[in-house]
Amino acid sequence: SSRAAADAVTALKGGHETAAMEAIVTHMRKDPDWTRVRADARGAILLARASTEAAKVATRFFRDLPSVPPWLRSMLKDEAWYEA
């Protein structure tokens, strides 16, 4: 749930955000199917909102995708950390 995800992000404060994002990205790399909305991508976006350093890792990953699917483009379009 969104509440559980927000609580998990809050629990990571204190320098663990980047390591968590790297783990999420590693997990996302294992699944090449970007045709459907993915919970791991949602988690990465939530974490990127909370941490500038984690956002850098997420931005690098999302920009390196061969193509950004419409659902992901929609999720990222208003994210200041992604546009920066």
Side-chain angles (χ1 to χ4, degrees):
S1 78
S2 294
R3 181 69 185 151
D7 290 346
V9 168
T10 300
L12 288 171
K13 293 290 182 186
H16 302 288
E17 300 94 332
T18 303
M21 183 63 79
E22 289 170 352
I24 292 170
V25 166
T26 297
H27 176 79
M28 289 192 291
R29 287 188 201 286
K30 293 177 183 176
D31 182 359
D33 182 7
W34 289 92
T35 60
R36 59 180 167 59
V37 177
R38 295 174 44 164
D40 51 6
R42 288 182 191 205
I45 290 168
L46 284 173
L47 184 53
R49 287 177 186 159
S51 166
T52 303
E53 293 305 311
K56 290 176 186 175
V57 175
T59 297
R60 209 169 24 249
F61 173 77
F62 289 134
R63 291 188 193 269
D64 284 347
L65 288 174
S67 66
V68 179
W71 65 265
L72 183 57
R73 192 174 314 116
S74 177
M75 290 176 79
L76 293 171
K77 71 177 181 177
D78 295 325
E79 295 293 337
W81 59 266
Y82 184 70
E83 297 173 2

